[in-house]
Amino acid sequence: MSDKLWIFDTTLRDGEQVPGCQLNTKEKIVVAKALEALGVDIIEAGFPISSPGDFNSVVEISKAVSNPIICALSRAVEKDIDVAADALKYAKKGRIHTGIGTSPYHIQYKLRSTPENIIERGVRAVKYAKKYVEDVEFYAEDAGRSELPFLAKIIEEVIKAGATVVNIPDTTGYCLPEQYGAIIRYLKENVSNIDKAIISTHCHNDLGMATANTIAGVQNGARQAELTINGIGERAGNTSMEEVVMAIKCHHDIPVFTNIKTEKIYETSRLISKLMNMPVQPNKAIVGRNAFAHSSGIHQDGVLKHRENYEIIDPKEVGVHESSIVLTARSGRAALKFHLDSLGVELEGDALNEVYEDFLVLADSKRDIGPKDLLSLVGKYMDESSFIELGKVHYKSNGAIEATVELKVGEKAYEATSTGNGPVDAVIKAIESIVNPHIVLEEFLIQAITAGSDDVAKVHMRLMQGDKPYYGFSSNTDIVLASAQAFVDALNKIPVKDKVTID
Ligand SMILES: CC(=O)SCCNC(=O)CCNC(=O)[C@H](O)C(C)(C)COP(=O)(O)OP(=O)(O)OC[C@H]1O[C@@H](n2cnc3c(N)ncnc32)[C@H](O)[C@@H]1OP(=O)(O)O
Ligand SMILES: CC(C)C(=O)C(=O)O
Ligand SMILES: [Mn+2]
């Protein structure tokens, strides 16, 4: 039987410490609600003593979300704890996170103290926080470089003082997975009252080990993991939530489960990246642009034959529509044929070989090969009159709603006007009056990528022609335009022979 792993999100505290990532209260509420929808168990909302703005954010987040525990950070300082408790006054479930450095570096050079005094301050802080809330988490800062007998001693004492969760941070990202796992194991074996508290991991990525260390911690008995979306955080970052959650989902031998709704991972990642102005590296695990993109021929052929040949995660599981087959000079015939098929050009044998040779020459000189390039390569093999290009789209609603659409089908230009029960309906009807491949619009989703009136709308459509589905995608700040583009995107995927253009 597997245990629950409590997911503690610190995007709004440790993540937000990064220069340039600061958010205002309104933005933090948007993030907190997204984290709640994602299914996190605890949101570390801020460090209330640090500024009036951060205090206010913890107050407002406490009011805005109901399911997750709201956690506020403090030092082992009474004033910090008073302010944290005050900021949590509206939280349905509030937690104070207090603690102190426990490594020789921190004790000697930062806190200029002694081990005995550090234990005393830690215990006092936990007891003081307990006056306000039942749920008190203690962090042993720089535990990754702390002496184990001392670490075990302070953890035992703070649990005695009432700590419900004990956080073992690898603050400087120093540990190797085996070492970090061994620290957790040591505490399990040497702290007499360890079963009275949940052990938490909190790893940093200075050596690129944050995810591996967190998993090692969990394998050795930790049951809470402190994480950030996209791994943002001080220096090289914190442990990224998406990596830990998906590693657990992929490896059934790790004896824990999480309540994360994984299909919301991608949209949450995009939201954080946009609001915090922090691009995600293209090759970032799970949420990078290339995480489900295949660009070399052998991989593409393998994925097209059976997705699992080169993918351990179904992209839909993390909210990515589908894997992509990117055409490059390293692609083979399978990938080329796949793209041609989706444009409705079915080539085999010598014809495919001939187009492939031309494709390689073009791909050597051009990085991005798109549908237009392919259509120019296969010109002689296809009915060129089939490629549809969307021109201008106008709509007005003074009483009746009316839309006018310009379309180019091959070399021919068309214009059509139609009415509808809304601008999207009118635009689609206008397009259908030019190209009518007898389809049924079966699914039509408009999704806000972030929030706010300046948002980009992402449109996903499924058209059915008989029992064959055709998918169209687009995104635009104008939802009518995005809908028209998605519709045309799907129409372009319908094979030439099944497309009907009305003259
Ligand atoms: C590993 C982490 O991520 S820890 C969290 C990091 N986040 C932040 O620091 C953001 C918020 N911080 C702040 O706004 C400020 O640093 C404050 C309000 C906490 C303190 O500000 P100041 O009083 O001006 O102190 P300053 O930041 O210069 O120095 C920190 C002081 O806290 C002490 N301190 C550091 N950690 C702790 C702790 N856990 N418990 C008790 N004291 C601590 C330091 O020793 C230092 O004290 P000193 O001046 O007596 O030597
Ligand atoms: C404050 C603690 C939990 C921390 O962020 C760290 O040690 O990295
Ligand atoms: Mn940290």
Side-chain angles (χ1 to χ4, degrees):
M1 224 190 52
S2 65
D3 295 339
K4 173 173 164 123
L5 178 70
W6 293 77
I7 298 296
F8 178 115
D9 179 274
T10 185
T11 307
L12 291 173
R13 199 281 296 172
D14 222 342
E16 208 248 4
Q17 285 173 205
V18 175
C21 284
Q22 274 72 31
L23 301 179
N24 61 37
T25 299
K26 226 174 108 194
E27 292 167 328
K28 285 188 189 174
I29 291 172
V30 171
V31 171
K33 286 186 171 165
L35 293 171
E36 181 175 38
L38 181 65
V40 309
D41 300 296
I42 302 112
I43 294 175
E44 187 163 52
F47 193 156
I49 189 99
S50 68
S51 74
D54 214 26
F55 177 89
N56 191 42
S57 296
V58 177
V59 171
E60 294 305 323
I61 290 169
S62 299
K63 291 180 190 165
V65 303
S66 15
N67 287 328
I69 295 169
I70 304 299
C71 179
L73 188 69
S74 70
R75 293 172 297 177
V77 170
E78 290 188 357
K79 179 76 184 145
D80 284 26
I81 296 169
D82 291 334
V83 176
D86 193 20
L88 289 172
K89 58 182 176 267
Y90 296 108
K92 284 103 203 149
K93 292 173 273 180
R95 173 183 295 180
I96 294 177
H97 190 188
T98 189
I100 195 154
T102 54
S103 68
Y105 289 103
H106 282 216
I107 296 173
Q108 191 178 346
Y109 302 116
K110 188 180 89 162
L111 300 157
R112 301 192 183 114
S113 184
T114 61
E116 296 71 33
N117 178 254
I118 293 298
I119 295 181
E120 203 185 301
R121 288 165 73 181
V123 167
R124 207 178 327 126
V126 169
K127 286 187 174 159
Y128 193 75
K130 282 297 257 198
K131 289 199 319 181
Y132 290 113
V133 287
E134 172 48 33
D135 192 1
V136 174
E137 174 168 343
F138 175 82
Y139 63 86
E141 192 180 347
D142 205 13
R145 294 186 300 171
S146 297
E147 286 166 3
L148 290 182
F150 176 70
L151 186 63
K153 177 81 186 139
I154 191 167
I155 293 299
E156 187 158 306
E157 293 302 323
V158 295
I159 294 174
K160 251 190 239 163
T164 45
V165 181
V166 286
N167 178 13
I168 311 300
D170 183 22
T171 306
T172 54
Y174 170 74
C175 290
L176 300 175
E178 231 171 70
Q179 279 175 309
Y180 189 75
I183 295 174
I184 305 297
R185 193 165 58 246
Y186 183 91
L187 295 175
K188 287 287 273 186
E189 289 168 359
N190 292 279
V191 173
S192 65
N193 53 3
I194 197 70
D195 292 339
K196 295 202 165 65
I198 292 174
I199 302 179
S200 184
T201 65
H202 179 114
C203 299
H204 280 265
N205 207 29
D206 299 66
L207 292 173
M209 303 282 171
T211 297
N213 286 349
T214 299
I215 296 293
V218 171
Q219 284 173 315
N220 282 282
R223 289 296 176 263
Q224 177 180 287
E226 305 197 2
L227 313 161
T228 62
I229 304 291
N230 299 337
I232 63 160
E234 292 259 0
R235 306 181 308 279
N238 284 59
T239 311
S240 89
M241 186 188 300
E242 57 278 8
E243 294 176 13
V244 169
V245 167
M246 293 315 293
I248 287 168
K249 203 165 177 196
C250 290
H251 286 268
H252 300 287
D253 52 325
I254 305 174
V256 292
F257 66 90
T258 77
N259 284 344
I260 295 297
K261 298 179 182 70
T262 61
E263 66 284 359
K264 288 190 176 291
I265 283 179
Y266 187 68
E267 66 185 71
T268 315
S269 159
R270 300 311 306 152
L271 174 73
I272 299 298
S273 169
K274 186 173 177 217
L275 288 180
M276 291 194 160
N277 252 322
M278 198 61 164
V280 174
Q281 73 192 59
N283 59 332
K284 166 82 182 62
I286 320 292
V287 291
R289 191 179 68 229
N290 292 344
F292 299 99
H294 306 276
S295 53
S296 65
I298 293 168
H299 292 211
Q300 293 172 324
D301 170 63
V303 169
L304 289 168
K305 283 174 175 154
H306 187 70
R307 191 186 57 74
E308 284 96 327
N309 279 333
Y310 283 98
E311 281 182 0
I312 56 168
I313 296 167
D314 182 338
K316 288 186 187 64
E317 269 187 80
V318 295
V320 173
H321 279 304
E322 55 192 352
S323 331
S324 54
I325 301 288
V326 184
L327 287 175
T328 70
R330 301 291 155 268
S331 297
R333 288 170 186 76
L336 178 64
K337 182 164 170 40
F338 168 77
H339 276 279
L340 290 175
D341 283 354
S342 74
L343 289 171
V345 184
E346 285 166 19
L347 296 185
E348 305 277 353
D350 289 346
L352 181 64
N353 286 339
E354 198 178 313
V355 172
Y356 181 60
E357 296 306 318
D358 294 344
F359 159 77
L360 287 181
V361 173
L362 184 66
D364 265 337
S365 64
K366 192 170 185 286
R367 271 197 197 159
D368 289 322
I369 305 284
K372 277 190 150 183
D373 299 305
L374 290 184
L375 289 170
S376 74
L377 286 176
V378 297
K380 68 177 173 188
Y381 293 102
M382 70 172 293
D383 173 2
E384 280 184 46
S385 65
S386 70
F387 190 70
I388 306 167
E389 219 178 310
L390 184 66
K392 287 194 182 131
V393 173
H394 304 281
Y395 51 93
K396 54 181 183 200
S397 66
N398 41 359
I401 297 167
E402 190 180 275
T404 302
V405 168
E406 289 176 12
L407 273 194
K408 227 173 127 191
V409 185
E411 291 306 312
K412 264 186 155 166
Y414 296 83
E415 187 179 297
T417 300
S418 194
T419 54
N421 65 4
V424 172
D425 186 44
V427 161
I428 287 183
K429 284 192 172 131
I431 297 172
E432 277 181 327
S433 72
I434 302 169
V435 184
N436 190 349
H438 307 299
I439 44 87
V440 177
L441 174 52
E442 206 187 62
E443 198 176 286
F444 177 24
L445 285 173
I446 302 182
Q447 195 182 15
I449 292 180
T450 58
S453 55
D454 62 342
D455 203 353
V456 172
K458 213 162 68 176
V459 175
H460 160 105
M461 273 187 194
R462 186 168 65 197
L463 312 184
M464 297 298 292
Q465 194 184 49
D467 58 358
K468 254 197 114 184
Y470 294 96
Y471 294 92
F473 305 102
S474 183
S475 53
N476 203 296
T477 48
D478 178 335
I479 57 172
V480 179
L481 195 54
S483 307
Q485 287 165 339
F487 192 61
V488 168
D489 183 37
L491 289 178
N492 271 324
K493 291 171 183 161
I494 297 177
V496 180
K497 61 180 168 41
D498 299 329
K499 248 184 247 187
V500 181
T501 310
I502 300 164
D503 249 324

